[in-house]
Amino acid sequence: MPIKNRFSDLLGEIVGWRRDLHEHPELLYDTHRTAALVADRLAEFGCDEVVTGLGRTGVVGVIRGRETGSGRVVGLRADMDALPIHEATGLDHASKIPGAMHACGHDGHTAMLLGAAKYLCETRSFDGTAVVIFQPAEEGGAGAKAMCDDGLMERFGIQEVFGMHNWPGMPVGSFHIRTGPFFAATDQFEIELEGRGGHAAKPQETVDTTVLAAHVILALQTIVSRNADPVGQLVVSVTSVETSSTAYNVIPQTVRLKGTVRSLSGEMQEMAERRLSEVAEGAAATFGGVARVDYRRSYPVMVNWDEQTEFAADVARSVSGACGAAPLVMGGEDFAFMLEERPGAYILIGNGDTASVHHPEYDFTDEAIPAGCSWWAEIVEQRMPLT
């Protein structure tokens, strides 16, 4: 079945929601305006139940089909939060909030799922229950985990869950997916290096922490080049260097490094965590200093389930005529927490030739909306068909 005509009819309305959300971005769990807008729309559509405050500011809508004898319950998830980036698009609907913008397209995700919810409430052409999930704090706040911890899956009896993300560089409205590991685990670390500070004119009386930092940063790259299996996927990045001094003539007492480790398997993650401490401590000790490592695991590897991935791809083909193979992604995605709770799959929808996500000139492509809405609706109607 091609893109549903109803979504072409609704396109102007859905674009209006999307651009309103874009003008009013909200960060992490502070998605109060967005959540209220979502809850109001779901109530207007006629959802059988609308629940707010799940996972702090998450919203859930329950839509029962024309029949419910199958007992099936399918969850559909969209993320709502924006990023702490100052927008540079110059668009008429650009962010009105300084230092915040929808640079990852969550405004589009929310609008597409709202469009699908309106259609499903109108038609109810399925046997079972659709649960639409609007989640805060995907961008580093683990909002998916917060909603799961609040009993999302159990409370609504969700049996399977599906997610979608736009993807710049892929044709508008096209779909791409892969089974198994898809998005990487994203861990964070801080390394405090301590030496002996002093005057830059007397380096022999110091243990120079800037030298320690330089050697530690370079040594950490051997985790990827010499400890990881070359056919595996691992990224170790030092992204920040801070010293306890800003003077030109002072060798600082301490230097703090921050960074991330990204991996696509539990074994690689375990190895990287262990070696990061060993390498940092060893390199610092070589030059007479001390390294204190704080390693924090964040999002786990996002793993698509085999059977649900095949189904999601079939639905994508029914909407757009094709479904391509998605690349492995070393970015993180907290939908991983939902896929640890229930079987499901996550798919990419093309955003066209736009700036990349997390870029100040990025914008979601509205022309992708009919395909995205149709995929959501078809997931429900094909997974829970009327007999």
Side-chain angles (χ1 to χ4, degrees):
M1 182 179 293
I3 291 171
K4 293 179 180 292
N5 290 335
R6 183 61 177 136
F7 294 121
S8 296
D9 296 339
L10 288 172
L11 182 58
E13 185 176 7
I14 299 171
V15 168
W17 301 335
R18 204 282 293 183
R19 295 188 178 187
D20 177 74
L21 293 171
H22 192 91
E23 289 182 22
H24 301 92
E26 296 177 300
L27 306 180
L28 293 171
Y29 289 98
D30 292 329
T31 53
H32 303 287
R33 181 187 184 277
T34 304
L37 183 151
V38 167
D40 287 347
R41 294 292 88 75
L42 294 177
E44 290 173 8
F45 301 159
C47 281
D48 298 284
E49 187 178 356
V50 179
V51 176
T52 61
L54 202 71
R56 295 167 62 176
T57 48
V59 182
V60 176
V62 177
I63 308 168
R64 297 186 181 93
R66 198 177 305 163
E67 298 176 8
T68 57
S70 73
R72 303 198 74 164
V73 184
V74 173
L76 313 175
R77 173 270 201 176
D79 35 19
M80 301 187 293
D81 59 319
L83 283 158
I85 297 173
H86 186 77
E87 183 162 353
T89 62
L91 295 167
D92 290 342
H93 59 270
S95 171
K96 295 179 178 178
I97 310 300
M101 72 169 289
H102 271 292
C104 205
H106 297 184
D107 52 338
H109 304 164
T110 297
M112 287 191 293
L113 188 53
L114 280 175
K118 181 168 184 173
Y119 167 85
L120 293 170
C121 285
E122 289 175 351
T123 59
R124 299 183 185 262
S125 297
F126 56 97
D127 179 3
T129 302
V131 179
V132 289
I133 304 160
F134 296 85
Q135 177 214 303
E138 191 281 325
E139 297 291 357
K145 184 177 188 301
M147 293 191 80
C148 289
D149 288 347
D150 269 1
L152 169 68
M153 302 300 175
E154 297 79 12
R155 178 171 177 174
F156 300 99
I158 296 169
Q159 299 162 350
E160 295 178 306
V161 63
F162 295 87
M164 185 196 317
H165 202 293
N166 78 95
W167 209 251
M170 293 177 177
V172 175
S174 66
F175 292 96
H176 295 76
I177 200 169
R178 68 181 302 120
T179 190
F182 192 173
F183 279 61
T186 55
D187 301 338
Q188 301 171 344
F189 63 85
E190 293 188 20
I191 303 172
E192 184 181 70
L193 300 170
E194 185 169 4
R196 185 167 60 251
H199 199 292
K202 298 180 179 181
Q204 75 279 7
E205 296 178 2
T206 73
V207 174
D208 191 337
T209 48
T210 59
V211 173
L212 297 185
H215 281 273
V216 168
I217 291 169
L218 291 175
L220 290 178
Q221 297 310 307
T222 64
I223 298 173
V224 174
S225 66
R226 287 298 176 266
N227 299 138
D229 186 330
V231 301
Q233 291 84 24
L234 182 69
V235 180
V236 178
S237 299
V238 176
T239 57
S240 174
V241 181
E242 303 170 357
T243 79
S244 57
S245 171
T246 58
Y248 286 96
N249 61 347
V250 174
I251 291 174
Q253 179 77 11
T254 60
V255 171
R256 184 177 297 275
L257 309 178
K258 297 179 182 178
T260 67
V261 175
R262 299 168 184 271
S263 54
L264 281 164
S265 72
E267 295 77 13
M268 198 74 78
Q269 185 181 37
E270 292 281 353
M271 181 277 293
E273 180 176 359
R274 172 177 54 82
R275 285 297 292 152
L276 190 133
S277 291
E278 293 172 349
V279 169
E281 291 166 3
T286 298
F287 296 94
V290 174
R292 289 181 283 271
V293 178
D294 178 18
Y295 192 100
R296 300 183 297 275
R297 294 197 177 190
S298 182
Y299 296 174
V301 180
M302 193 192 75
V303 181
N304 270 350
W305 292 59
D306 292 350
E307 195 271 331
Q308 285 73 20
T309 300
E310 182 178 353
F311 168 69
D314 286 342
V315 171
R317 282 187 282 269
S318 75
V319 171
S320 69
C323 185
L328 287 167
V329 179
M330 296 309 288
E333 169 53 66
D334 78 343
F335 190 65
F337 291 109
M338 294 191 181
L339 291 178
E340 288 186 335
E341 295 270 339
R342 293 294 187 272
Y346 191 78
I347 200 166
L348 304 181
I349 183 170
N351 201 57
D353 186 18
T354 66
S356 65
V357 294
H358 294 221
H359 189 282
E361 294 181 353
Y362 166 88
D363 188 37
F364 180 83
T365 300
D366 291 328
E367 288 75 13
I369 287 173
C373 291
S374 294
W375 185 81
W376 285 127
E378 287 293 331
I379 286 285
V380 171
E381 292 181 351
Q382 292 190 34
R383 203 58 163 171
M384 302 182 288
L386 288 170
T387 56

